[in-house]
Amino acid sequence: MNNKNNHINIHLASAFMGFLLGVSAITALSGNKDPDGVISLVFALAVAVSGFFYIVIIVLKEFLLPYLNRRRAAIKALGKDGIRILRHDKTARLAYKGIYNLIKGDYPDAEDYLQQALANSEVRQNRKFCIEWLVKLYEITENNSRLMWCFRKAAEYSPDDAEAQSRLGHAYFAEGNLDKAKYFFEQALRYDANNGYSYYNLVKIFLVRKDYEKALETLKNLMRINENHPLAHAEYANYYAMRGERENALEECKKAQLCGYKDPDELNRRINAMLNFEETKFGKEDLPSLYYKKAEANSDKQ
């Protein structure tokens, strides 16, 4: 960004100097009527006019147009009645300033305005709107602690919103806090019994904990929603691999691939590694159990 600004400033300074030199030459030659003087005067005028128009082009291209584009995008983000809302709603004006600064790349000001907008919001929909833009901000700045705060707030403001509950569950799952993750995935399913993403993650939790009965029950629910979903077949492959059922596990890998699993080679490597591990005698411990213990230990620390 600094290099770009320096580049713009150099061009702007060059254009301005050309304009000033042209104007100075015009002033000096304005009284000279001999042929050479007239030619010099025309040349000086051309330099001045070129410098002036170059300045105008730089200002339009590098400053005015980006400003107008950012403004248009921020107003559009407010909805189809964005301009009207801006005139009558203080919260919308704060949110607009936050979105504008986010698009501009001024993240501290963006956070300040969006937090002000959130504090001034009394309507649930407006709070959700502010939270979603704060999520975008914290994702860009990779501020994981504030991102988790956003997910908690979204779930708090919308306890009956399956997506908000599921997203918070995923955040806890990523941290290794399986108990909280399970709770919020189950909350999501209370309000949307067809929330496939929650079923998918619950399967993962049950498999890690070796609760095969619940894992299978949840997998059946997931397949009921979409029997051709590649992630459902991938989890079935995990289920069979963890039980040492090679033929069924490899069959589910094939189904996942046919349904469009994005990285079938990775899936096959993982399933084969699990099968080989399960088929090797190492005493009572195995890979999934060790993973489970590590995940639970991490969750206890938090």
Side-chain angles (χ1 to χ4, degrees):
M1 181 62 73
N2 288 335
N3 290 336
K4 182 181 178 182
N5 289 338
N6 291 336
H7 185 70
I8 293 170
N9 290 336
I10 290 171
H11 279 271
L12 196 57
S14 300
F16 189 65
M17 286 298 296
F19 173 72
L20 288 180
L21 288 172
V23 171
S24 299
I26 291 170
T27 304
L29 296 168
S30 59
N32 192 338
K33 296 183 180 180
D34 63 76
D36 290 339
V38 172
I39 293 173
S40 298
L41 182 61
V42 171
F43 179 74
L45 181 62
V47 170
V49 170
S50 299
F52 173 76
F53 278 107
Y54 195 27
I55 292 171
V56 171
I57 290 170
I58 292 174
V59 170
L60 285 174
K61 181 181 177 182
E62 303 295 342
F63 298 100
L64 183 59
L65 288 179
Y67 163 76
L68 292 175
N69 288 335
R70 288 192 295 266
R71 175 177 169 80
R72 189 181 301 112
I75 292 174
K76 185 178 180 180
L78 296 177
K80 62 179 182 178
D81 298 321
I83 294 178
R84 182 183 62 80
I85 295 171
L86 275 176
R87 294 171 182 165
H88 305 288
D89 191 333
K90 177 184 177 182
T91 301
R93 288 195 293 273
L94 289 168
Y96 159 78
K97 291 178 180 179
I99 296 168
Y100 175 87
N101 280 284
L102 176 58
I103 296 170
K104 183 181 177 183
D106 189 347
Y107 300 135
D109 280 351
E111 180 178 19
D112 183 48
Y113 283 120
L114 287 170
Q115 287 287 2
Q116 287 185 55
L118 179 61
N120 278 275
S121 298
E122 297 180 356
V123 180
R124 167 172 152 170
Q125 194 62 31
N126 292 345
R127 288 175 174 174
K128 288 176 64 177
F129 179 83
C130 294
I131 284 292
E132 289 309 311
W133 280 97
L134 283 167
V135 166
K136 295 178 191 296
L137 169 64
Y138 295 134
E139 284 178 340
I140 292 172
T141 57
E142 298 181 349
N143 191 334
N144 292 330
S145 62
R146 296 302 292 169
L147 196 57
M148 177 61 88
W149 176 86
C150 283
F151 294 152
R152 290 195 191 102
K153 279 295 181 183
E156 176 186 328
Y157 292 145
S158 305
D160 57 348
D161 186 331
E163 183 180 349
Q165 302 296 321
S166 180
R167 186 165 61 175
L168 181 56
H170 178 71
Y172 279 122
F173 184 88
E175 287 187 348
N177 195 330
L178 301 185
D179 284 336
K180 286 188 176 180
K182 177 175 174 291
Y183 171 81
F184 284 105
F185 288 134
E186 289 173 343
Q187 283 293 101
L189 290 170
R190 284 184 58 193
Y191 299 102
D192 180 7
N194 293 321
N195 191 292
Y197 187 74
S198 293
Y199 282 123
Y200 168 72
N201 282 285
L202 282 172
V203 171
K204 283 183 170 295
I205 291 172
F206 292 137
L207 286 179
V208 164
R209 291 181 165 177
K210 288 214 159 197
D211 191 340
Y212 295 127
E213 185 177 342
K214 287 185 178 179
L216 183 58
E217 179 186 347
T218 309
L219 272 170
K220 289 178 180 178
N221 287 326
L222 184 57
M223 294 294 284
R224 175 180 54 80
I225 297 171
N226 186 352
E227 64 180 1
N228 294 318
H229 199 296
L231 295 179
H233 288 292
E235 286 309 308
Y236 255 115
N238 284 332
Y239 168 79
Y240 287 126
M242 292 180 73
R243 292 174 62 84
E245 300 179 27
R246 174 175 287 275
E247 186 176 339
N248 289 332
L250 296 179
E251 181 64 25
E252 290 299 328
C253 281
K254 292 178 182 178
K255 290 181 181 179
Q257 183 174 353
L258 289 172
C259 291
Y261 193 82
K262 66 178 182 179
D263 194 349
D265 290 338
E266 182 277 333
L267 176 62
N268 285 321
R269 283 195 300 270
R270 173 158 48 87
I271 295 303
N272 275 299
M274 292 173 64
L275 287 168
N276 292 336
F277 200 99
E278 287 290 340
E279 292 167 1
T280 304
K281 301 301 180 181
F282 288 107
K284 296 182 179 180
E285 298 291 2
D286 58 25
L287 184 62
S289 294
L290 294 174
Y291 176 81
Y292 163 68
K293 290 179 180 178
K294 180 179 178 181
E296 287 296 280
N298 290 339
S299 67
D300 290 340
K301 291 178 183 177
Q302 295 170 7

